[in-house]
């Protein structure tokens, strides 16, 4: 898989080409995205010019007032959290990360006026899962704070969908995440994502 990177302002022909093979496996896709982000960051630091990933160009930041929307990301897998955070920041969101239901509830209490949407994994360690968190958020904050549940398990997804929670199917990519976020924020009356 060739990856061509051209730093902004570089002389013609000064493109870094990286060849690497990744099998069709979610863990390797995550590694690929993290590797790409590290290369882009290092090239930007060396040249003094930012390198904008294609996802940022394809999905601009949220439209509306100057202040960006805040997402509470609840994900216990650090690799998935890193990639998802990168997608969200690429869209222009401010991301707050937690890894379990208890810390997510604490974060919501501390930042209750600043969180615009919660994106949570369905399966998490401990006694509570993402659906438990979604129910609690709905009970304490009402429909004004939407919760998106990410899962690859169809039985759990059906239960959440039956209760009216939006589902993000795993594995997801930037486009899939963007589509679900745009729909959820639009229905909640929040600023639309372009």
């Amino acid at each position: 898989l060739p990856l061509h990177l051209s730093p902004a302002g570089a002389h013609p022909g000064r493109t870094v080409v990286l060849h690497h093979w990744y099998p069709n496996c979610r863990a390797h896709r995550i590694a690929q995205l993290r590797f790409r982000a590290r290369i882009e960051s290092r090239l930007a630091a060396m040249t003094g010019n930012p390198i904008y990933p294609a996802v940022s160009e394809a999905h601009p930041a949220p439209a509306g007032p100057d202040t960006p929307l805040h997402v509470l990301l609840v994900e216990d897998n650090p690799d998935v959290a890193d990639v998802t955070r990168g997608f969200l920041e690429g869209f222009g969101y401010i991301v707050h990360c937690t890894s379990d239901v208890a810390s997510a509830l604490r974060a919501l209490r501390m930042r209750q006026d600043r969180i615009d949407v919660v994106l949570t994994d369905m399966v998490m360690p401990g006694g509570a899962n993402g659906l438990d968190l979604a129910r609690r958020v709905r009970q304490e904050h009402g429909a004004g704070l939407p919760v998106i549940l990410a899962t690859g398990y169809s039985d759990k997804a059906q239960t959440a969908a039956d209760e009216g929670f939006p589902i993000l199917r795993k594995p997801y990519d930037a486009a899939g995440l963007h589509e679900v976020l745009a729909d959820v924020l639009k229905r909640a009356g929040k600023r639309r994502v372009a």
Side-chain angles (χ1 to χ4, degrees):
L1 172 65
L3 177 62
H4 300 269
L5 300 173
S6 295
H11 298 326
R14 294 192 71 192
T15 301
V16 176
V17 181
L18 304 167
H19 293 274
H20 211 293
W21 178 80
Y22 293 97
N24 187 12
C25 174
R26 191 167 96 178
H28 289 283
R29 177 70 178 139
I30 291 167
Q32 177 187 19
L33 292 169
R34 292 178 82 189
F35 177 73
R36 179 179 173 185
R38 282 194 303 271
I39 294 296
E40 289 171 349
S41 175
R42 287 186 183 145
L43 286 173
M46 288 187 305
T47 64
N49 296 313
I51 298 170
Y52 300 101
V55 71
S56 295
E57 295 164 9
H59 305 292
D66 293 339
T67 55
L69 295 175
H70 291 248
V71 176
L72 176 60
L73 173 61
V74 188
E75 173 60 64
D76 63 304
N77 182 317
D79 292 329
V80 175
D82 286 348
V83 171
T84 304
R85 180 182 201 133
F87 288 158
L88 293 167
E89 289 174 346
F91 300 150
Y93 294 102
I94 293 175
V95 183
H96 309 274
C97 291
T98 64
S99 60
D100 58 50
V101 171
S103 59
L105 292 170
R106 279 193 301 275
L108 281 171
R109 280 191 284 279
M110 289 173 31
R111 298 181 179 93
Q112 63 185 357
D113 296 335
R114 299 192 66 188
I115 301 297
D116 297 291
V117 62
V118 177
L119 171 59
T120 181
D121 187 18
M122 179 75 82
V123 178
M124 287 185 283
N129 62 34
L131 184 55
D132 296 326
L133 174 62
R135 290 170 178 152
R136 184 89 177 263
V137 169
R138 181 181 278 169
Q139 178 185 9
E140 293 180 11
H141 300 275
L145 181 56
V147 179
I148 300 168
L149 290 150
T151 185
Y153 299 102
S154 59
D155 59 328
K156 294 185 184 303
Q158 189 58 52
T159 302
D162 289 345
E163 293 185 33
F165 293 107
I167 302 300
L168 177 62
R169 294 286 184 167
K170 284 184 168 183
Y172 53 85
D173 59 11
L177 174 59
H178 186 269
E179 183 179 328
V180 170
L181 271 169
D183 181 57
V184 166
L185 291 170
K186 183 178 179 183
R187 284 189 285 132
K190 308 259 182 187
R191 289 182 304 236
R192 216 177 88 242
V193 177

